[in-house]
Amino acid sequence: NTIVVITNTTVFHSVPYPVTCTTRGADLTQDTVVVLCPPQCTQWRTSVFGTGVYAAVSSICGAAVHRGILGPAGGPVRVHRLQGRHNYISSYAHGIHSQALSHWTASFSLTSRWNHFDCQMDIAMVIDSSSNIGQRRFNLQKNFIAKLAAMLRVGPIGPHIGLIQASDSPRTEFLLTNYTQPKELLFAIKELAYLGGDSNTGKAIMHTAETFFSQENGGRRGHPRVMMVLIDGWPSDDLDQAAMLARESGINVFLVSVAKPAPEELSMVRDKDFMKKAVCKDNGFFSYPIPSWFSTTKHIRPLTQRLCSLDGLLCSKTCYNSVNIGFLIDGSSSVGDGNFQLVLEFLAGIARSFEVSDVGAHIGAVQFTYEQRLEFGLSDYSNKDDAINALRRISYMSGGTSTGSAISYTTQNLFRRTGPGRNFLIVVTDGQSYDDVRGPAMAAHKQGITIFSVGVAWAPLDDLKAMSSEPKDTHTFFTREFSGLSEFIPPLVRGICRDFTENN
């Protein structure tokens, strides 16, 4: 059993607390808390006592299935702690048989946590418009996605939905921001025309991953990207490359497969593992099989909850939207004003590669001589343009060079509230430090900060390697001239992404 100890009395509205299928009501310490149940709790032998009000010894997720507010997909549930009582009633519902219990010391009740305000996703629906599906089932598909869209309730602060038809070639029907009112969206879905042709789902996923979520096309900064792909039967093309691009682009691909191939049809399927390869992660959460287009209604709510389960969207977090990058900038007299501007342009080039936002990547900067100056913190700027403008406005200090104490200062003042595994420090210096760099650098490494050292002109290679993280060769850069710094932008960005991926 999992014991969940939450001592804060705040109700968690935005981030559900992950639990297991066997976590009991007694394991929670809060009066009200939102938990995140994993998929497939229906397959576990969970103990449930009571009906409507459950004894605290019951499985929370098992009780939620019994109550009818949780499907096989899992999802968030709000738990309300209650006093103990006598005579918990036995009943059978939604595949769960709850038991009777004469008395227990504590109880809980459950409510559905989901509402559309929690679902601030950008969702691309890729629908099947091939000859495979035919006009009749195409109309049933339209009916299904209309009901799904109605439950999602698009709006300025809710989800945005765009739609692409998969056929011989993909066709974008409308973008994320074309319809932000439910009535307009439902009318646009109703008006969709059937295309026919091959089920080139791979082409459609590739087309959607390449440009659909760009800001020019209405993608919102910092909002999770979801692609829901509907397939009738099986695709005509390969999905591997397209799915890989989607994952690398931070897109969570869900595959809703309706009417899977019959045994006699399997010989016609190019890739029997197409579902596993297409989704964000092959863990059961992103694959959603539906037996027939005639039985889709009961799947609308569980699928909606799955699309909106923020904690389940494993592909949202990429290095580009998740890292904290600190710039530690040498402002000593040997640099000079002109070269200092080249350093700032170099750092702006690195910052430009990341999706800086209040829920995305964060940028901060410290300048040092013998003294240190916090130019701006990781949370000071919530968009890329403001962060880059702040970098360019940094005024040159001029003075000596104490790189070691500057690393210590940055470790304590820039990264003090952030978790390990996503913190990166880029140190740019042009000379020898007057103090020790090894001790402060080791302390930073122990705190989970990855250091890239960039040396110019007279910076000693021994100092640079002493500061940088392992392996030293891939975290240490050197150029004789300040004008050569710009060449380091691509390898530095690649290095940050490589380290982030390995650590997460």
Side-chain angles (χ1 to χ4, degrees):
N1 288 343
T2 302
I3 297 177
V4 183
V5 181
I6 307 173
T7 54
N8 194 328
T9 54
T10 308
V11 177
F12 283 84
H13 285 293
S14 55
V15 182
Y17 196 92
V19 294
T20 70
C21 294
T22 54
T23 301
R24 305 168 307 162
D27 298 328
L28 303 179
T29 60
Q30 272 189 287
D31 289 341
T32 304
V33 64
V34 177
V35 300
L36 183 72
C37 290
Q40 308 305 334
C41 282
T42 47
Q43 294 178 11
W44 286 69
R45 291 187 64 185
T46 54
S47 298
V48 178
F49 300 89
T51 300
V53 173
Y54 301 93
V57 72
S58 304
S59 152
I60 295 167
C61 301
V65 174
H66 179 265
R67 191 87 176 96
I69 58 173
L70 187 73
V77 174
R78 185 169 274 121
V79 186
H80 309 270
R81 200 161 60 158
L82 304 170
Q83 291 179 336
R85 60 181 60 199
H86 294 276
N87 300 325
Y88 293 90
I89 301 165
S90 164
S91 67
Y92 181 82
H94 305 104
I96 301 279
H97 188 255
S98 77
Q99 301 171 61
L101 194 63
S102 59
H103 174 68
W104 198 256
T105 52
S107 314
F108 65 87
S109 65
L110 302 161
T111 54
S112 172
R113 178 258 184 180
W114 186 80
N115 69 63
H116 73 290
F117 296 114
D118 296 318
C119 190
Q120 297 184 24
M121 316 297 175
D122 283 346
I123 301 172
M125 291 185 174
V126 178
I127 69 168
D128 192 333
S129 196
S130 67
S131 305
N132 237 11
I133 194 168
Q135 181 73 60
R136 186 184 180 206
R137 293 202 301 272
F138 179 77
N139 289 339
L140 290 170
Q141 178 183 225
K142 286 203 308 185
N143 190 36
F144 172 63
I145 60 169
K147 287 179 180 174
L148 199 65
M151 179 157 273
L152 283 163
R153 287 179 65 190
V154 299
I157 60 164
H160 285 178
I161 294 174
L163 192 138
I164 302 92
Q165 291 212 63
S167 176
D168 289 327
S169 296
R171 188 162 99 181
T172 299
E173 296 292 351
F174 49 87
L175 299 170
L176 291 161
T177 48
N178 286 162
Y179 303 108
T180 56
Q181 296 301 321
K183 273 187 182 174
E184 298 171 351
L185 176 65
L186 296 179
F187 184 75
I189 292 170
K190 188 183 170 190
E191 292 294 297
L192 291 171
Y194 173 54
L195 302 178
D198 283 341
S199 304
N200 286 331
T201 311
K203 265 191 189 177
I205 294 173
M206 183 73 82
H207 164 80
T208 308
E210 282 173 343
T211 60
F212 196 80
F213 292 97
S214 68
Q215 282 181 264
E216 296 76 32
N217 284 338
R220 293 175 290 182
R221 266 189 184 163
H223 287 252
R225 298 167 174 180
V226 171
M227 191 192 309
M228 185 191 77
V229 182
L230 285 145
I231 294 184
D232 179 88
W234 61 90
S236 306
D237 60 351
D238 292 322
L239 309 186
D240 300 29
Q241 292 301 311
M244 192 184 297
L245 175 67
R247 281 190 289 274
E248 288 173 355
S249 306
I251 299 166
N252 297 273
V253 177
F254 287 81
L255 196 71
V256 180
S257 166
V258 185
K260 69 179 182 183
E264 64 272 14
E265 295 174 320
L266 280 173
S267 60
M268 299 158 66
V269 182
R270 283 176 69 141
D271 186 348
K272 315 261 186 308
D273 290 329
F274 72 86
M275 282 193 79
K276 291 181 179 180
K277 292 177 180 177
V279 292
C280 160
K281 188 173 174 66
D282 178 28
N283 62 354
F285 183 77
F286 295 93
S287 310
Y288 200 104
I290 296 177
S292 157
W293 287 110
F294 297 96
S295 61
T296 57
T297 305
K298 66 183 178 187
H299 297 284
I300 288 162
R301 187 175 186 86
L303 182 57
T304 302
Q305 289 183 331
R306 209 183 285 199
L307 296 175
C308 294
S309 277
L310 190 59
D311 290 337
L313 301 183
L314 303 177
C315 288
S316 290
K317 289 296 174 192
T318 66
C319 71
Y320 299 108
N321 65 18
S322 304
V323 293
N324 301 309
I325 302 175
F327 297 129
L328 185 53
I329 310 163
D330 186 343
S332 62
S333 305
S334 55
V335 174
D337 202 16
N339 288 333
F340 188 75
Q341 296 308 312
L342 289 175
V343 172
L344 297 183
E345 277 307 310
F346 160 61
L347 299 177
I350 294 170
R352 205 176 287 115
S353 302
F354 294 89
E355 295 171 26
V356 179
S357 77
D358 52 349
V359 293
H362 297 92
I363 305 289
V366 172
Q367 187 180 174
F368 71 97
T369 55
Y370 287 137
E371 308 293 321
Q372 305 88 32
R373 188 168 79 195
L374 179 63
E375 300 292 355
F376 57 92
L378 293 168
S379 304
D380 287 359
Y381 296 102
S382 58
N383 71 66
K384 189 188 299 190
D385 292 342
D386 289 350
I388 288 173
N389 289 336
L391 261 178
R392 289 184 169 139
R393 284 197 306 270
I394 293 174
S395 58
Y396 175 46
M397 286 170 75
S398 187
T401 311
S402 290
T403 315
S405 54
I407 291 172
S408 297
Y409 174 88
T410 306
T411 302
Q412 291 158 21
N413 292 278
L414 196 65
F415 293 107
R416 65 183 186 274
R417 289 200 191 94
T418 59
R422 56 197 187 101
N423 296 328
F424 296 86
L425 179 62
I426 297 174
V427 183
V428 185
T429 182
D430 83 324
Q432 182 145 18
S433 177
Y434 290 107
D435 62 359
D436 171 59
V437 295
R438 278 174 175 77
M442 281 178 66
H445 297 159
K446 281 181 182 170
Q447 197 174 305
I449 299 167
T450 302
I451 298 180
F452 288 85
S453 55
V454 180
V456 192
W458 307 109
L461 196 58
D462 285 352
D463 274 10
L464 297 175
K465 288 196 169 179
M467 291 187 286
S468 60
S469 294
E470 294 286 354
K472 301 290 183 184
D473 289 349
T474 58
H475 292 81
T476 309
F477 296 82
F478 178 78
T479 175
R480 282 275 166 219
E481 305 293 335
F482 282 88
S483 57
L485 284 171
S486 59
E487 293 175 18
F488 295 152
I489 294 172
L492 268 166
V493 171
R494 281 199 302 273
I496 289 169
C497 285
R498 178 197 61 228
D499 289 352
F500 174 84
T501 304
E502 285 175 4
N503 290 325
N504 292 275

